[in-house]
Amino acid sequence: ARGAPSGPTRRRAMDNPYADLSAANDEESAGLVRANDENACDSSSNDENASPLVQLDATEHSVDARLPRADVRTIALNTWLYMATPMSMPATVAVAGARWSMVFFTYSAGSTYWTGRVLGKAFLADPTCTTYAKMTSKAASRVLIRRGVDESKVGKWEPRIEFAVLVLQFVTYYLDATVQIVYITQYFGQTFTNVKMCSATWALFVGVMSLPVVQIPTIHDSGRVVALPCVAVVVALAVFFGEILSTRPWEKCDPGPTYGRVVTSASVFNSLGNFAYGFGGHGLYPEELREMKNPEDWPKVLNITYGTMVPIYLLVMYWGYKAYGDFAKGNINLNFPHNGANIVSMLMQSVQCYYGVFFTSITLMMRIETYLGVDPTRGWSVVTRYGVSPAVFRLVFRTFFLATEVIVAAIFLAVSGDVILDIQSLAGAVGMTAMTFFLPSLIHYGFNMTERSSNLERFWVVVNFTMGVAIMFSGLYGSLSSLFANKLVDQCPVEYVYAPHDPRDPCYVSGIHY
């Protein structure tokens, strides 16, 4: 068991009414282990064959007390890796146009860094806010009470608000997990071109391959493997710049790239959801904070993530749009020739997306497991109320959960069009916009603002809230319009067209010259 916290590095221990559980709970989870009394008596007498395992019914409080084990490195790498979606940025610029893209990107980067800091401050103010839903409901309660609403009425609304935000979070990250599966499915179909399989079959294969990674119990436990997909991102970026700088379509190709011809009002709205997606990890920030040993180090996590990823986004947006213009695809590898470097890139991005299936699903699965009385921090040392160890329960439950995501991904793969960009935009519009932009404004108002707050701060909160609502509904309109415009197509087997063989390709006439 962890020793009793001391000093400023564990402020959570001073504020959290459940922190004393952490020191008391090792094998008995702060007294929440419930062994059958009769079996205990039998075990203490002459029955030498009695099982030494005891039944443990986890509660939310006992799990929260056991979770804070992750260091800054583990949390920072996970946060960085989840934000790392640069390859879709050139296509986002293509549908929004260069000017609107820079406006949206600048606002998104500045606003989401601020909202990330807001969530960290709110958690330190009340460390019992261990989930995004709970943090939002507590903030809303504070605002309502401050506005003079009767506390009894607030008490009735708080669990309703928590449930509504929980549903929003679930739908958002469930959709995002399907995005990761769609990515891997397309990468495999593009890489192994001699294997003629339907998109649904590829999705099933990806699901089976993803089973081991979704068995990682918690975010803390991912620290052993998270560096590998981060390295894969770096390799994929190197290939991206290598392919563009070696082919230089704007200089060597005929007819060359075009710019701004595919921009419509619907596509501009669609891009808003994609920018929200690119900065959309905030819905998992409270869950990451609850696993940190020292949550006051959260600003270090954000500084590492934004200090590196924002420049990467800018470089990829500029060079990708310059090279491919209106033809830039959500799956950027289709803009490259089918060569060895491209295959390496797709394999590296598959590694990242495999991990993405885990990270987008982990908080959802942990939440359900805890609700069912299964402690995600436990392995084989105890027995659940279902008669099996937590590890066995995880294997069965998470396999079923992953299977549902595979089915949804297969449905999305059955339509034509740039489905990756559309699903990303839908996931971004449905919940990431809310949890990244306007709900943090509410949380800031509830936890961090006082009567001494300046008029400028109040103005910024109102603007950020209003912009977030506008981005959410406009992005939802754009993404659904694009999805419904697609048609079901026969994808058996899946066919992919690489540069320069598509008639719209910048190098279609001249071919590619290195």
Side-chain angles (χ1 to χ4, degrees):
R2 293 188 305 277
S6 62
T9 59
R10 292 299 288 151
R11 178 178 175 183
R12 183 201 315 235
M14 295 183 288
D15 297 330
N16 189 351
Y18 310 116
D20 57 327
L21 296 178
S22 177
N25 111 20
D26 181 14
E27 290 304 315
E28 295 187 353
S29 188
L32 293 171
V33 173
R34 298 189 304 161
N36 182 280
D37 291 338
E38 294 180 2
N39 290 339
C41 292
D42 292 341
S43 176
S44 63
S45 56
N46 296 326
D47 188 1
E48 296 179 355
N49 295 323
S51 172
L53 298 181
V54 291
Q55 179 180 319
L56 180 144
D57 288 340
T59 68
E60 184 177 347
H61 297 160
S62 67
V63 171
D64 287 346
R66 292 177 58 83
L67 280 174
R69 302 172 293 165
D71 55 17
V72 171
R73 169 193 171 274
T74 298
I75 299 298
L77 288 178
N78 274 288
T79 305
W80 186 90
L81 187 62
Y82 185 78
M83 186 182 285
T85 56
M87 299 306 182
S88 64
M89 283 296 172
T92 302
V93 178
V95 298
R99 292 181 180 178
W100 279 115
S101 293
M102 287 312 302
V103 172
F104 296 155
F105 180 84
T106 302
Y107 170 73
S108 297
S111 174
T112 59
Y113 177 81
W114 175 77
T115 56
R117 295 293 297 268
V118 163
L119 298 176
K121 291 178 181 178
F123 184 83
L124 292 177
D126 185 355
T128 64
C129 296
T130 52
T131 66
Y132 200 102
K134 189 178 296 183
M135 183 178 289
T136 305
S137 64
K138 286 181 177 288
S141 296
R142 288 178 174 226
V143 172
L144 291 173
I145 291 173
R146 193 182 301 173
R147 291 293 181 180
V149 179
D150 184 77
E151 290 192 21
S152 61
K153 293 182 179 179
V154 172
K156 293 179 181 180
W157 276 102
E158 184 171 322
R160 298 175 185 176
I161 295 171
E162 181 176 352
F163 179 75
V165 176
L166 179 63
V167 170
L168 183 70
Q169 183 190 45
F170 186 94
V171 172
T172 300
Y173 289 101
Y174 187 91
L175 276 175
D176 195 16
T178 67
V179 171
Q180 309 304 319
I181 296 171
V182 168
Y183 264 120
I184 307 171
T185 299
Q186 292 198 356
Y187 290 145
F188 273 23
Q190 292 172 245
T191 302
F192 305 105
T193 53
N194 293 329
V195 180
K196 303 298 182 182
M197 289 201 303
C198 304
S199 58
T201 308
W202 272 119
L204 177 62
F205 177 76
V206 169
V208 173
M209 293 290 290
S210 301
L211 274 176
V213 72
V214 299
Q215 300 303 320
I216 299 174
T218 66
I219 296 175
H220 161 74
D221 297 303
S222 70
R224 305 183 182 96
V225 297
V226 66
L228 177 61
C230 289
V231 172
V233 172
V234 174
V235 174
L237 286 169
V239 172
F240 171 87
F241 291 113
E243 291 279 13
I244 288 177
L245 295 177
S246 62
T247 57
R248 288 182 286 178
W250 65 90
E251 180 180 300
K252 296 183 177 182
C253 287
D254 184 28
T258 61
Y259 306 99
R261 295 183 181 178
V262 298
V263 178
T264 64
S265 59
S267 69
V268 171
F269 289 147
N270 200 14
S271 73
L272 291 170
N274 279 291
F275 281 116
Y277 183 91
F279 292 96
H282 294 55
L284 303 175
Y285 283 2
E287 283 80 356
E288 288 186 277
L289 280 157
R290 74 175 175 180
E291 293 207 28
M292 291 186 72
K293 287 187 292 187
N294 302 310
E296 54 275 357
D297 288 335
W298 179 249
K300 296 180 182 178
V301 173
L302 291 181
N303 291 340
I304 292 170
T305 302
Y306 278 77
T308 54
M309 192 49 61
V310 169
I312 289 173
Y313 275 175
L314 287 171
L315 288 172
V316 171
M317 288 166 63
Y318 174 79
W319 287 105
Y321 186 60
K322 180 176 182 178
Y324 307 114
D326 298 332
F327 190 61
K329 291 180 172 290
N331 182 349
I332 195 70
N333 294 83
L334 291 175
N335 289 114
F336 304 155
H338 194 231
N339 53 25
N342 196 359
I343 292 175
V344 169
S345 172
M346 289 185 285
L347 290 175
M348 292 299 100
Q349 290 178 79
S350 297
V351 172
Q352 179 192 4
C353 292
Y354 266 122
Y355 189 81
V357 175
F358 155 76
F359 193 70
T360 52
S361 302
I362 183 61
T363 59
L364 311 182
M365 296 186 296
M366 288 174 62
R367 177 81 182 206
I368 297 174
E369 289 165 0
T370 302
Y371 176 78
L372 295 175
V374 179
D375 189 338
T377 67
R378 301 283 186 168
W380 303 91
S381 61
V382 296
V383 175
T384 67
R385 67 177 69 168
Y386 307 101
V388 297
S389 68
V392 173
F393 181 91
R394 277 197 299 273
L395 176 62
V396 176
F397 165 70
R398 295 188 179 188
T399 299
F400 173 78
F401 191 88
L402 177 63
T404 64
E405 295 173 333
V406 170
I407 292 172
V408 174
I411 294 172
F412 280 126
L413 283 163
V415 301
S416 63
D418 200 344
V419 67
I420 285 180
L421 207 63
D422 294 337
I423 304 174
Q424 279 189 184
S425 179
L426 180 61
V430 166
M432 289 185 185
T433 302
M435 292 181 285
T436 303
F437 290 95
F438 67 83
L439 286 182
S441 298
L442 173 67
I443 292 170
H444 181 69
Y445 187 85
F447 280 103
N448 304 329
M449 290 186 67
T450 66
E451 295 179 354
R452 298 180 179 179
S453 298
S454 66
N455 290 332
L456 181 61
E457 181 180 3
R458 296 175 187 275
F459 175 76
W460 167 250
V461 169
V462 172
V463 168
N464 204 53
F465 185 91
T466 306
M467 285 291 296
V469 173
I471 291 172
M472 179 178 183
F473 285 103
S474 59
L476 190 61
Y477 161 76
S479 59
L480 289 177
S481 298
S482 184
L483 275 173
F484 285 128
N486 295 329
K487 300 178 180 180
L488 290 175
V489 294
D490 182 12
Q491 303 230 27
C492 291
V494 184
E495 299 292 342
Y496 296 99
V497 179
Y498 294 89
H501 303 296
D502 191 300
R504 297 169 297 168
D505 191 279
C507 300
Y508 180 70
V509 175
S510 63
I512 293 176
H513 302 285
Y514 293 97

